[in-house]
Amino acid sequence: DAGVIQSPRHEVTEMGQEVTLRCKPISGHNSLFWYRQTMMRGLELLIYFNNNVPIDDSGMPEDRFSAKMPNASFSTLKIQPSEPRDSAVYFCASSQATGGSQPQHFGDGTRLSIL
Amino acid sequence: DAKTTQPNSMESNEEEPVHLPCNHSTISGTDYIHWYRQLPSQGPEYVIHGLTSNVNNRMASLAIAEDRKSSTLILHRATLRDAAVYYCILRQSNDYKLSFGAGTTVTVRA
């Protein structure tokens, strides 16, 4: 079975550039999550979509970050303009449904370095 | 959010069992106990979850104390591939969030 697919795996870009991270959730899953992991703050939830609709974006750091889910099989996380403090590993996860008993399945992440 | 407490690190020998403890003294009746692990350079991986009864799957077993204030993840025979950070997480029945703490770093000696 195909898991959650993220691209690119690595991204190195200069400060000020636009960065777009992509995610394909597991087919049939109706919930999608974007997380960010840093040494200082650990794993943090950025945004949660249910049936392609953003439900909770309270974890999005600031207006430079935006996320979309145009259909059930694709989501993007965009940073514009990027800053060095955005350097982190960004994970996408999906689950079959929401609720405390539902496991989330994670992709292998995008390691982002902003110079 | 209900909190969990885990040891920072544990060591094990290959092919021996590993018992990872988790304390959650403020757990509520509707909190599920979830375990995830994260191998180096990979995303978190779901391991197991339970509510009140002990649970087994192909990866591990979850033993839940009768008062639910603690639980133990059991890896029956550790392999080198089991070296990872293990996270114990509580989730309410209507909650979509996973709140990751620092977890327990497990080292497996060959």
Side-chain angles (χ1 to χ4, degrees):
Chain A
D1 290 344
V4 175
I5 299 172
Q6 292 186 247
S7 64
R9 287 298 311 275
H10 303 273
E11 175 90 14
V12 181
T13 192
E14 291 189 349
M15 173 178 166
Q17 297 297 308
E18 178 178 290
V19 174
T20 300
L21 311 182
R22 297 172 176 80
C23 174
K24 177 179 170 55
I26 294 173
S27 177
H29 283 193
N30 68 1
S31 297
L32 183 137
F33 308 83
W34 283 99
Y35 290 85
R36 178 172 69 175
Q37 185 171 35
T38 61
M39 289 293 292
M40 290 290 291
R41 300 173 67 91
L43 269 158
E44 308 173 275
L45 177 66
L46 298 178
I47 189 168
Y48 154 56
F49 290 87
N50 184 252
N51 291 322
N52 313 337
V53 176
I55 302 299
D56 181 3
D57 65 355
S58 61
M60 296 285 265
E62 48 197 274
D63 292 346
R64 296 185 297 106
F65 285 69
S66 62
K68 293 182 179 179
M69 192 164 185
N71 57 62
S73 58
F74 184 65
S75 176
T76 59
L77 178 67
K78 188 173 293 188
I79 309 172
Q80 166 64 17
S82 58
E83 296 182 4
R85 59 192 168 123
D86 302 330
S87 298
V89 183
Y90 290 80
F91 291 104
C92 177
S94 70
S95 66
Q96 201 164 19
T98 54
S101 65
Q102 295 297 319
Q104 292 183 14
H105 301 271
F106 286 75
D108 283 336
T110 295
R111 184 172 296 275
L112 178 63
S113 296
I114 308 298
L115 305 177
Chain B
D1 289 345
K3 301 294 185 206
T4 63
T5 304
Q6 300 178 250
N8 289 334
S9 62
M10 290 189 71
E11 288 191 352
S12 176
N13 294 317
E14 201 174 9
E15 298 191 6
E16 289 186 357
V18 183
H19 291 243
L20 299 174
C22 180
N23 288 322
H24 29 78
S25 58
T26 60
I27 191 170
S28 73
T30 57
D31 283 337
Y32 286 84
I33 303 161
H34 283 250
W35 284 84
Y36 284 74
R37 71 180 184 180
Q38 187 172 19
L39 280 64
S41 300
Q42 294 188 24
E45 177 186 26
Y46 167 77
V47 177
I48 200 167
H49 79 277
L51 184 61
T52 57
S53 302
N54 295 343
V55 185
N56 300 296
N57 66 20
R58 63 176 179 80
M59 290 181 70
S61 296
L62 176 59
I64 301 173
E66 198 167 331
D67 64 4
R68 301 186 71 236
K69 294 186 176 182
S70 66
S71 60
T72 303
L73 179 71
I74 303 164
L75 308 178
H76 295 286
R77 286 185 66 204
T79 69
L80 296 179
R81 194 191 174 278
D82 291 321
V85 179
Y86 287 76
Y87 299 96
C88 173
I89 301 169
L90 298 184
R91 290 179 73 190
Q92 293 185 350
S93 59
N94 61 351
D95 197 0
Y96 52 84
K97 289 184 181 179
L98 278 175
S99 298
F100 290 85
T104 298
T105 299
V106 171
T107 305
V108 180
R109 293 185 291 255

